[in-house]
């Protein structure tokens, strides 16, 4: 969510930049949620998505498959010293040690219990309640994530976590990762890079990718929303689809996308980030965005 990536707000910010309405939103007092970046709002529309995440073998299989493909592609990437997965990387990264970047929410942490609680208690997402959930340190790992991290580290690859979680949640976040057995800061530097840890680390993640790329060759990125991979994509459904398709050769190799049917910038795009809409209005816009047979 603010989640990272939640459509991330990263995409949201990018899209709004395209529309040139950032200033207007600022005047309206709009504040991006601290967490789930992409999640911001959860409506009853999420019931099937949450059911899929929590009860289906299919969700688990999709995650395991994505991470298995990621491990295989990572091994191939390590054999190609010129290859980089980051658009922010300079042209010839040969000689730099390899690194991978993972998003956290719905990429490593399964926050579906928090969203199921929102749904069943009739509440909307808030940074406060998401923070309470994170502080409990009880999220289970997304299937396949920990095997992937162990594999990368066993190959000498630095693992960085780039998340739009609030800095206030860093201690709880690090505790949860350590409880999984994940070795943090293995290369002698902070490996958990949260939003606003530095002044220029905003909702968009490109500045953090560039920061890592100064010292590492970024060989793979894993996330659950477009903003985990690229900063600049449009606000509309056709624009973001066009941007994703323009990087066709990256998907499944340099960039690995985990399924997140609960929230994301894809949902915001369906109602074109119209923050004035209430839940019924958003639902109506989502129905309008569907393409029926007749
Ligand atoms: Mg995420």
């Amino acid at each position: 969510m603010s989640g990272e990536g939640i459509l991330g707000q990263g995409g949201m910010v990018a899209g709004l930049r395209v529309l040139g309405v950032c200033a207007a939103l600022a005047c309206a007092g709009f504040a991006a949620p601290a967490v789930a970046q992409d999640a911001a709002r959860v409506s009853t529309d999420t019931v099937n998505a949450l059911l899929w995440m929590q009860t289906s073998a299919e969700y688990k299989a999709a995650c395991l498959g994505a991470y298995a493909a990621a491990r295989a592609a990572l091994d191939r990437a390590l054999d190609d010293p010129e290859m980089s997965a980051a658009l922010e990387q300079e042209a010839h990264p040969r000689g730099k040690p390899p690194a991978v970047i993972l998003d956290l929410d719905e990429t490593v942490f399964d926050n579906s219990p928090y969203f199921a609680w929102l749904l069943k208690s009739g509440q909307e997402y808030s940074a406060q309640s998401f923070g309470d959930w994170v502080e409990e340190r009880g999220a289970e790992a997304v299937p396949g994530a920990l095997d992937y991290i162990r594999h990368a580290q066993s190959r000498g690859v630095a693992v960085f976590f780039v998340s739009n979680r609030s800095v206030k949640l860093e201690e709880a976040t690090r505790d949860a990762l350590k409880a999984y057995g994940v070795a943090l800061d293995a290369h002698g530097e902070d490996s958990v890079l949260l939003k606003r840890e530095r002044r220029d680390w905003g909702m968009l993640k490109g500045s953090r990718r560039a920061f890592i790329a100064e010292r590492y060759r970024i060989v793979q990125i894993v996330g659950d929303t477009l903003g985990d991979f690229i900063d600049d994509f449009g606000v509309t459904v056709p624009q973001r689809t066009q941007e994703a398709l323009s990087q066709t050769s990256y998907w499944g190799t340099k960039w690995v996308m985990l399924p997140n049917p609960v929230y994301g910038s894809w949902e915001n795009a369906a109602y074109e980030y119209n923050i004035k809409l209430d839940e019924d209005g958003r639902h109506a816009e989502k129905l309008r965005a569907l393409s029926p047979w007749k």
Side-chain angles (χ1 to χ4, degrees):
M1 322 181 229
S2 148
E4 287 205 348
I6 299 178
L7 179 164
Q9 303 275 19
M12 180 171 184
V13 172
L16 293 174
R17 181 193 290 154
V18 170
L19 291 180
V21 296
C22 277
L25 286 180
C27 291
F30 173 77
V35 180
Q37 7 151 278
D38 308 5
R41 305 177 185 86
V42 174
S43 73
T44 53
D45 292 346
T46 61
V47 63
N48 242 20
L50 286 165
L51 192 68
W52 190 67
M53 282 187 72
Q54 294 202 324
T55 72
S56 79
E58 288 81 354
Y59 169 71
K60 296 171 180 61
C63 294
L64 290 171
Y67 271 118
R71 289 198 305 273
L74 174 59
D75 288 341
R76 293 193 297 274
L78 293 176
D79 293 332
D80 178 358
E82 289 287 348
M83 173 274 195
S84 174
L87 300 180
E88 294 82 6
Q89 186 99 52
E90 80 280 20
H92 300 290
R94 177 187 288 269
K96 291 182 176 179
V100 294
I101 296 176
L102 288 91
D103 166 53
L104 284 175
D105 292 309
E106 276 48 70
T107 298
V108 175
F109 293 127
D110 171 6
N111 297 303
S112 64
Y114 167 73
F115 290 101
W117 171 76
L118 287 182
L119 175 66
K120 298 196 77 168
S121 61
Q123 300 182 67
E124 292 216 343
Y125 167 85
S126 74
Q128 177 65 50
S129 63
F130 186 78
D132 292 344
W133 154 254
V134 170
E135 291 291 349
E136 285 196 4
R137 299 156 167 78
E140 294 192 5
V142 169
L146 302 186
D147 281 346
Y148 171 84
I149 294 167
R150 280 191 287 269
H151 178 74
Q153 293 185 325
S154 75
R155 297 289 318 264
V157 176
V159 176
F160 287 94
F161 301 98
V162 174
S163 164
N164 282 343
R165 283 187 171 190
S166 164
V167 173
K168 290 183 290 187
L169 300 176
E170 177 154 15
E171 183 178 350
T173 298
R174 293 174 66 90
D175 286 350
L177 290 168
K178 286 187 279 189
Y180 289 158
V182 173
L184 299 179
D185 312 339
H187 289 247
E189 56 186 300
D190 185 2
S191 57
V192 181
L193 310 185
L194 304 185
K195 188 181 56 175
R196 298 294 177 208
E197 262 191 72
R198 295 187 178 210
R199 236 173 42 173
D200 64 331
W201 293 359
M203 192 69 78
L204 300 180
K205 293 183 171 181
S207 59
R208 280 171 280 176
R209 288 191 293 269
F211 175 78
I212 295 167
E214 288 174 7
R215 286 152 297 120
Y216 292 87
R217 181 168 70 93
I218 299 170
V219 292
Q220 198 166 53
I221 303 173
V222 186
D224 71 300
T225 190
L226 280 183
D228 294 332
F229 308 90
I230 48 179
D231 275 3
D232 293 318
F233 52 90
V235 69
T236 69
V237 171
Q239 285 169 339
R240 46 197 324 280
T241 301
Q242 180 182 33
E243 184 60 40
L245 293 180
S246 73
Q247 306 292 346
T248 297
S249 65
Y250 280 47
W251 296 114
T253 53
K254 295 178 178 181
W255 297 350
V256 177
M257 185 75 85
L258 275 297
N260 178 2
V262 177
Y263 63 86
S265 43
W266 55 269
E267 183 182 16
N268 306 73
Y271 54 87
E272 299 189 352
Y273 294 91
N274 185 349
I275 60 172
K276 293 180 179 175
L277 293 174
D278 60 13
E279 181 178 330
D280 288 344
R282 295 194 296 269
H283 182 78
E285 286 303 297
K286 284 187 270 187
L287 286 177
R288 193 185 57 78
L290 295 176
S291 304
W293 169 40
K294 60 183 177 180

